[in-house]
Structures are given as C-alpha cells and as structure tokens.
Amino acid sequence: MPNAQCPMPNAQCPMPDARCPIPNSRCPIPNIMLLTISTTRVPATDLGYLLHKHPDRHQCFPMSFGQASVFYPEANAEKCTAALLLDVDPVGLVRGKSKSGDRPLEQYVNDRPYVASSFLSVALAQVFRTALSGRCKDRPELAETAIPLTVNLSVLPCRGGEKFLRQMFEPLGYQVTAKPLILDAQFPEWGASPYFAVELQNTVRLADLLSHLYVLIPVLDDDKHYWVGDEEIEKLLRHGEGWLNAHPAREQIADRYLKRQRRLTRIAVAQLAESDNIDPDFVEVSHQQEEEVLEQRISLNEQRLDAVVEVLKASGAQRVVDLGCGEGKLLRLLLKESAIEQITGVDVSHRALEIARERLQIDRLSPAQQSRIQLIQSSLIYRDSRLTDFDAATVIEVIEHLDLDRLAAFERVLFEFIRPKSALAKPSKRIVTTPNIEYNVKFENLPAGKFRHRDHRFEWTRAEFQTWANGVAERFGFAVEFRCVGTEDLEVGSPTQMAIFTQCKIY
C-alpha cells in the first residue's frame, strides 16, 4: 500500500501494491474501519478454510450501510492474516429517511465510519456467517480446534476506558494490548479520546473469537445503530452460548448490548441464570468422591498429596495457595508443616469450602494456627486481587475439569497473576498434577475409552501433558521438570503425572 498514512504501512504490509484492494486515489483511508485476524498455526493458510474466504481473492460484500471487503495482506504457511475492511457511508444511511427538510447535523458528522461499532458486528455476522456458526465443510475438525489467533482493531471505542476493555476480554483468556488514541495533537485541550488501537491474542476456536467480537464490540461502544427489541435477546444468548453465563460482567454486558433497556436486560439475565441450573457444589463434591472410589485400591490420592508436600518442603515455600482445594485434604497436611507460614485454599464450590472448614476444624484451631490459613471462594479462570504474593501454587487434579477453551485464562491466573511481591523471594513454584489417560486400562471398573469420572473435559497422555507444560513454561518464563506419582508401568507409565514449574523470569 503506497500511502504512508494507510493503516498498514509499507514496512508492515507484505501485500504487493498490485494486490491492494484500496485504490491509490482513496489513500490515506479517512473513512474505513479495519479489523485483521491472524494465525501462526501451521499451515496458517488454513485460516482461509475456516473463514470460507480464499487468500488469493479480494471479495466485496454490499451492506445496507456501505461496503465490506475481505482480503489477505499476508498468506503463507507460517502466518496468515485476513483483513475485514468496512466502508460506512453515513450519507447513505440517512438519505431519504427524513420526513422533512430538517436533518440533524450529527447524522452526517459522527465517528461511525471510522470506528469499530455495531456496523462491524453486523458485517462480521454476514461476511463470516459460516465461520461464526462453527462450521467448516472442508476442515470440520479444524473448526473445533483452539488455535492461536491475534485480532487487531485499528480504532475501537471504549466507553469506560482501558480498564473496562480488559474487564471484557481478559476473563475470556485474551492478552490485551491497548494503545490510547488522542483526539488531536494540535488541540490538547480537547482531552483524551475514548478510542484505542487494540490487539487481542488468545488460543481459541475461531467461532468463539468471532462470537466474542460480535457481542463485545457494541458493548464497548455502548451504542447500536439499529432498533433493539426482543429479538436481540435471542441474538445475545445465541452468540453468548458457552461463555456469557460465566462471565463476571454478564449483567453489564447484557445491559449495554440491549441499549440499557431494563426490561430486556432483566429477561436476558434471567435466561442466563436458568442455564446455570446445575448445582456446582453438588457436582464438585460428588465428582471428587467418584474419583476417590476408583483410585482407592492403589491409595493414589494419598500418594499424590505426599508427593506434593515433599516438593513444597524441598522448595522452602512459605506462602502456598492451593487452587481447586476441594475439601481441604492438602491443606490439612500443610498445616502440619510449621515452615509454611501462610496457607490459602481456593475453590469455586461454596459447599466444598464448607466441608473443608469443618474437616480442618478451623474454629477450634489456636489463634496462631487460624492466622495461617484462609479459604477463598473464587473462579480459577478470572484474575482475583486476593491471589497475589504467594511463592508456591498447587493445582492437584484440577486442569482436566476445565474446558480446553478456558485453559488459556487459567494459565494466566496460575503463571502470570500469582507471584511473590518481594523481589528478594525465592523463585516461585507451580505444581500441577493430572491423570495419565494411558494408565486407565489398569482400572478394571473403568470402561474402555472412558475418563476417570464424568466431569473430566479431557485426560492427557504423557506426551500431551509434557507438550502443554513445556509450552506454558516457555511462554511465562518457567523451567519445568516431570515426575511420576504412583506405581509406574513400563508400557503405560504411572497413574498420575506431575509437572513442577520453577520461575526463571523475575517480574
């Protein structure tokens, strides 16, 4: 692209000028909205299959409010980027719609052609309809696979600032980079703008990413260009399926998406609440009991806990948090270790924490012992300001209960947000255990092909676990070693696999 003010300067744009879909006469681009989606999953050009848009073609799609174009600035095996360029015609939007000669100036002079808004959501839904639905005729298995994706939005309005922007995307596992855009450098008295250049990174299904954008872009903009009625509730629930009901800001999202119409918001929130009809406390406790019964013959749970305590003792950890602590069995062992000064148990289940409190007999402990332990109810995939200043974190038979598309959010909680405050602290530890699916053939009462209990979303082989652990260790600055827990079989390994992460990068 020859013009220096183009949103993709020459230095960054690998597309030859001959392939550029924007004529020179229209550069610089004063009135378009640009969104790009990139992947580095090899072969990266599979992105074309997922989007149902060929990388070698520039395609145009007429919209009621202008025109959308799809093209690929780069497309090779290592990296592929698809661009959605939206040209909004503000004059065409109001032409012929006024019943008198009085046409408000704001209908013609506004930010709609320049920023990501509900116009972009509509374009996403129409241009990428098949991808948004999660279908891919030529690569059906790819459509169900979480892949590394990066989204860039050239101008994203955010009524609420960067903090609100992060509150929307970070709980979904995204790494957010936001650059504030000034209104006008020549007029500083105009103040800061509500606009940001935003980059979002996540390993997620493409359909989920598009759903997140479809819902959250107009939420951030806090406006919609069309009438909002009861049918918008169905759109919100359909595109929010699988993630909105668990989002910590779901009521605020519903309120803004539905243009602050309280009647519609109440209906939407009530229907979201109905989707949570499974009692998480009952599920948490009953599933723990199922797994214990299956593994009781080999005393596997006791072996796991003993192995974890030994690692903690050897590390010299003084402040330990157990994520997914359940009924507190590890906490009870840690209370016996006088060298551990602070012990925190975290679980999403209120009932599990009640059982832990009863079994630990916290109310009967001495004041000194009571000061050493605390129980916190919290989700393991959202950042919690209470979960800081720990030099060790344990995750015992927990990750297999998480949906794979939420694993990235949990990784940030475990490896990024939990860390010692003191720069003089010893390198912090993370201890993760999970079932070895290869060993399941040794359980006589477990049908072939079944997980160890119903709530497991996955169970990994030794190779899969090590691939995951090595990957997160590299991304977050940790070294990792692996150990076996339980009797090791020459063919299928041990029943439990353990990864011990040691922090290398000091923040």
Side-chain angles (χ1 to χ4, degrees), residues 245-281:
N245 64 326
H247 198 291
R250 69 180 185 182
E251 292 189 21
Q252 195 170 10
I253 292 172
D255 193 39
R256 283 194 175 200
Y257 184 89
L258 298 168
K259 294 188 74 169
R260 302 184 186 275
Q261 297 189 42
R262 293 306 302 163
R263 181 186 69 84
L264 300 181
T265 300
R266 285 195 297 270
I267 295 173
V269 171
Q271 292 190 37
L272 285 170
E274 288 178 4
S275 67
D276 295 334
N277 54 6
I278 299 176
D279 183 353
D281 296 334

Side-chain angles (χ1 to χ4, degrees), residues 58 68 108-109 171 189 210 212 214 264 403 444 458 469 474 479:
H58 163 225
Y108 297 92
V109 183
E189 66 273 14
L210 294 175
H212 299 156
Y214 178 87
L264 300 181
D403 291 322
E444 297 177 357
F458 61 87
E474 181 178 357

Side-chain angles (χ1 to χ4, degrees), residues 47-122:
L47 182 63
Y49 288 103
L50 286 172
L51 291 173
H52 287 252
K53 301 292 180 287
H54 198 286
D56 291 335
R57 298 174 187 166
H58 163 225
Q59 301 181 57
C60 295
F61 304 87
M63 300 282 159
S64 61
F65 45 79
Q67 178 174 279
S69 299
V70 175
F71 61 98
Y72 287 76
E74 56 186 332
N76 55 64
E78 289 72 35
K79 185 177 181 182
C80 186
T81 299
L84 173 62
L85 185 147
L86 188 60
D87 190 352
V88 175
D89 177 13
V91 175
L93 288 175
V94 296
R95 183 180 291 124
K97 294 185 179 180
S98 177
K99 295 182 180 179
S100 66
D102 181 19
R103 296 185 177 181
L105 183 62
E106 66 176 306
Q107 290 183 314
Y108 297 92
V109 183
N110 54 59
D111 65 354
R112 298 299 86 182
Y114 314 97
V115 304
S117 66
S118 57
F119 291 107
L120 182 60
S121 285
V122 171

Side-chain angles (χ1 to χ4, degrees), residues 205-320:
R205 291 194 319 147
L206 177 64
D208 293 332
L209 178 139
L210 294 175
S211 294
H212 299 156
L213 294 175
Y214 178 87
V215 171
L216 294 179
I217 284 175
V219 167
L220 291 163
D221 184 36
D222 202 13
D223 193 14
K224 279 194 172 181
H225 70 275
Y226 56 87
W227 170 256
V228 170
D230 290 356
E231 67 280 0
E232 288 300 297
I233 298 176
E234 189 276 331
K235 291 182 184 178
L236 175 63
L237 298 178
R238 173 158 45 89
H239 293 294
E241 184 179 1
W243 63 271
L244 182 55
N245 64 326
H247 198 291
R250 69 180 185 182
E251 292 189 21
Q252 195 170 10
I253 292 172
D255 193 39
R256 283 194 175 200
Y257 184 89
L258 298 168
K259 294 188 74 169
R260 302 184 186 275
Q261 297 189 42
R262 293 306 302 163
R263 181 186 69 84
L264 300 181
T265 300
R266 285 195 297 270
I267 295 173
V269 171
Q271 292 190 37
L272 285 170
E274 288 178 4
S275 67
D276 295 334
N277 54 6
I278 299 176
D279 183 353
D281 296 334
F282 173 79
V283 171
E284 176 79 13
V285 174
S286 64
H287 285 171
Q288 286 182 3
Q289 293 171 348
E290 286 181 19
E291 192 167 20
E292 289 177 9
V293 169
L294 179 66
E295 299 175 344
Q296 186 174 16
R297 181 178 58 84
I298 57 175
S299 304
L300 186 55
N301 191 47
E302 288 78 5
Q303 295 181 59
R304 266 195 301 261
L305 299 180
D306 289 343
V308 170
V309 171
E310 288 303 314
V311 173
L312 291 173
K313 288 168 61 177
S315 72
Q318 296 179 323
R319 300 177 61 83
V320 179

Side-chain angles (χ1 to χ4, degrees), residues 147-425:
I147 63 175
L149 292 168
T150 299
V151 172
N152 279 279
L153 291 152
S154 55
V155 185
L156 178 64
C158 185
R159 323 295 173 176
E162 183 177 345
K163 180 179 179 181
F164 184 70
L165 170 67
R166 293 185 178 278
Q167 289 174 345
M168 294 297 102
F169 283 103
E170 286 186 341
L172 298 171
Y174 289 90
Q175 293 185 8
V176 180
T177 303
K179 178 183 178 182
L181 303 176
I182 61 174
L183 281 174
D184 195 313
Q186 298 182 12
F187 300 96
E189 66 273 14
W190 289 0
S193 81
Y195 309 112
F196 295 84
V198 175
E199 180 177 275
L200 306 170
Q201 293 182 316
N202 200 359
T203 299
V204 65
R205 291 194 319 147
L206 177 64
D208 293 332
L209 178 139
L210 294 175
S211 294
H212 299 156
L213 294 175
Y214 178 87
V215 171
L216 294 179
I217 284 175
V219 167
L220 291 163
D221 184 36
D222 202 13
D223 193 14
K224 279 194 172 181
H225 70 275
Y226 56 87
W227 170 256
V228 170
D230 290 356
E231 67 280 0
E232 288 300 297
I233 298 176
E234 189 276 331
K235 291 182 184 178
L236 175 63
L237 298 178
R238 173 158 45 89
H239 293 294
E241 184 179 1
W243 63 271
L244 182 55
N245 64 326
H247 198 291
R250 69 180 185 182
E251 292 189 21
Q252 195 170 10
I253 292 172
D255 193 39
R256 283 194 175 200
Y257 184 89
L258 298 168
K259 294 188 74 169
R260 302 184 186 275
Q261 297 189 42
R262 293 306 302 163
R263 181 186 69 84
L264 300 181
T265 300
R266 285 195 297 270
I267 295 173
V269 171
Q271 292 190 37
L272 285 170
E274 288 178 4
S275 67
D276 295 334
N277 54 6
I278 299 176
D279 183 353
D281 296 334
F282 173 79
V283 171
E284 176 79 13
V285 174
S286 64
H287 285 171
Q288 286 182 3
Q289 293 171 348
E290 286 181 19
E291 192 167 20
E292 289 177 9
V293 169
L294 179 66
E295 299 175 344
Q296 186 174 16
R297 181 178 58 84
I298 57 175
S299 304
L300 186 55
N301 191 47
E302 288 78 5
Q303 295 181 59
R304 266 195 301 261
L305 299 180
D306 289 343
V308 170
V309 171
E310 288 303 314
V311 173
L312 291 173
K313 288 168 61 177
S315 72
Q318 296 179 323
R319 300 177 61 83
V320 179
V321 57
D322 184 24
L323 301 176
C325 67
E327 300 174 12
K329 293 185 177 181
L330 177 61
L331 306 180
R332 183 167 52 192
L333 294 178
L334 296 180
L335 274 173
K336 300 176 182 179
E337 303 299 329
S338 58
I340 300 178
E341 299 174 358
Q342 182 63 52
I343 305 163
T344 297
V346 180
D347 206 284
V348 70
S349 168
H350 177 71
R351 176 57 182 155
L353 293 176
E354 285 184 341
I355 295 174
R357 177 174 293 276
E358 293 171 1
R359 290 188 172 180
L360 294 170
Q361 298 183 334
I362 291 180
D363 295 336
R364 298 182 183 182
L365 295 176
S366 67
Q369 286 286 75
Q370 288 188 21
S371 67
R372 291 178 61 209
I373 189 164
Q374 63 174 334
L375 301 177
I376 295 176
Q377 182 180 16
S378 181
S379 171
L380 303 186
I381 61 174
Y382 302 136
R383 185 171 189 170
D384 191 324
S385 60
R386 297 171 294 178
L387 303 183
T388 57
D389 197 19
F390 292 96
D391 49 21
T394 58
V395 187
I396 312 304
E397 308 297 287
V398 170
I399 59 172
E400 62 273 9
H401 294 269
L402 301 175
D403 291 322
L404 283 171
D405 58 358
R406 296 189 176 186
L407 197 55
F410 174 71
E411 291 166 3
R412 295 197 69 197
V413 171
L414 178 61
F415 294 99
E416 181 178 346
F417 301 144
I418 296 176
R419 59 178 181 265
K421 290 182 179 179
S422 172
L424 301 177

